[in-house]
Amino acid sequence: MVLFRWFKQILFGSRASNLPKERGTQRDWINAANRHWQLRWHDLLDVDGDLIAAGEFDRPHPLPGEIDCDFRLIFGLPRATSKTRQECFALFPSGPEMHPRFQEFLSSKPVALSETEARERLTKVVALIEEIGPNEDVDLSKVRVVDRDTEGGLGELCNTDDITVLLEKNLLPTYPVEELTKIAAEFFLTEPLYAAAGNFYQVSNWVTAAMTGGLTDKLQSELYKLWAGGWQVALEPDGVILAPRKI
């Protein structure tokens, strides 16, 4: 009965006051939401004409217990029709805003940014982080360019963090209830969008930022534009790294 009530909340929405407030119960709610979305996505992929024609994405039985092991969902989403993808995203908060972003990523032709252009965009990123409020003091005016295609450069990047760690909050005993559905959707969408981007998180961060809006959305949009233009942004203890990548 509890799971059924949660599914109704997922399907039809719910006031934040009706969502679980304890971390253990919240985790169960998120798992139930993810399972519901997993079943719905498979139902949509079952009737997708492109996937049927490809003959490569049969529905697994039983369905994997973890989304990151459900390879049909992970790799089938970019291969499905735009209509199916639209229906998949429509299940989530801000789905009508997230779907066009994913479509743009899939259909747009990459245009490389010069180092000068990348530095200009990085200036916007830094300004947004400072406006939001970083969680530690780092000199963001210090920028180094590192070649990720060399062994030394790749090694340096392995010892860095994504610049968005400056915005991470301390772990709380519970999630804010008003953000619970968004958090569940982010958990679900991360792996399919990460895989579609060739194992980079920038697409996932940008697409799902549509659920948050505001300065966070603007920041992720700028980071996505940098990444799409061939630049990865990383954080080291005493500054920022810009790393060009092949596109």
Side-chain angles (χ1 to χ4, degrees):
M1 183 62 69
V2 173
L3 284 179
F4 176 73
R5 183 169 67 251
W6 285 349
F7 284 151
K8 287 184 66 178
Q9 293 173 357
I10 296 164
L11 280 168
F12 304 114
S14 174
R15 294 180 182 274
S17 59
N18 295 329
L19 295 176
K21 298 177 178 61
E22 296 183 359
R23 175 55 70 92
T25 310
Q26 287 183 337
R27 186 166 52 247
D28 291 341
W29 189 92
I30 288 171
N31 290 337
N34 277 235
R35 185 64 173 182
H36 167 73
W37 290 325
Q38 181 185 25
L39 291 167
R40 290 291 296 117
W41 271 32
H42 278 292
D43 289 344
L44 292 168
L45 297 184
D46 282 345
V47 295
D48 181 85
D50 285 1
L51 298 187
I52 293 171
E56 300 176 7
F57 297 97
D58 294 332
R59 185 177 185 136
H61 295 284
L63 292 181
E66 302 291 337
I67 297 301
D68 58 4
C69 296
D70 194 333
F71 301 119
R72 189 200 197 203
L73 293 193
I74 293 171
F75 299 109
L77 180 67
R79 300 279 297 275
T81 64
S82 176
K83 179 177 181 295
T84 296
R85 288 194 293 268
Q86 183 177 17
E87 291 172 338
C88 286
F89 278 105
L91 301 173
F92 304 103
S94 302
E97 290 75 38
M98 289 195 288
H99 173 250
R101 295 186 182 196
F102 190 54
Q103 284 295 111
E104 179 180 331
F105 158 68
L106 291 176
S107 61
S108 61
K109 183 178 180 180
V111 177
L113 296 174
S114 67
E115 181 179 331
T116 299
E117 291 171 321
R119 287 179 177 273
E120 289 174 353
R121 287 206 171 274
L122 181 61
T123 300
K124 297 179 182 179
V125 167
V126 169
L128 285 164
I129 289 176
E130 291 177 341
E131 187 173 357
I132 295 170
N135 54 30
E136 61 178 286
D137 188 19
V138 177
D139 188 354
L140 300 178
S141 66
K142 293 180 61 176
V143 181
R144 289 197 304 130
V145 175
V146 171
D147 187 353
R148 62 170 290 123
D149 290 327
T150 65
E151 183 176 350
L154 190 58
E156 285 191 77
L157 283 174
C158 289
N159 294 318
T160 64
D161 289 310
D162 189 274
I163 197 169
T164 55
V165 300
L166 290 173
L167 304 179
E168 290 182 355
K169 301 175 182 178
N170 293 331
L171 292 177
L172 299 174
T174 61
Y175 297 117
V177 291
E178 65 274 10
E179 297 181 15
L180 194 57
T181 305
K182 176 181 73 71
I183 290 168
E186 288 175 347
F187 285 161
F188 184 90
L189 289 168
T190 292
E191 194 64 29
L193 300 182
Y194 172 76
N199 298 341
F200 285 95
Y201 285 108
Q202 284 79 1
V203 172
S204 174
N205 292 342
W206 174 53
V207 171
T208 59
M211 292 187 288
T212 304
L215 294 175
T216 297
D217 190 16
K218 292 180 180 179
L219 171 64
Q220 294 297 350
S221 295
E222 290 298 331
L223 287 170
Y224 171 75
K225 291 172 185 175
L226 264 168
W227 177 83
W231 294 86
Q232 181 180 351
V233 183
L235 184 73
E236 55 183 352
D238 58 348
V240 181
I241 286 178
L242 270 177
R245 66 184 189 89
K246 294 179 181 179
I247 58 174

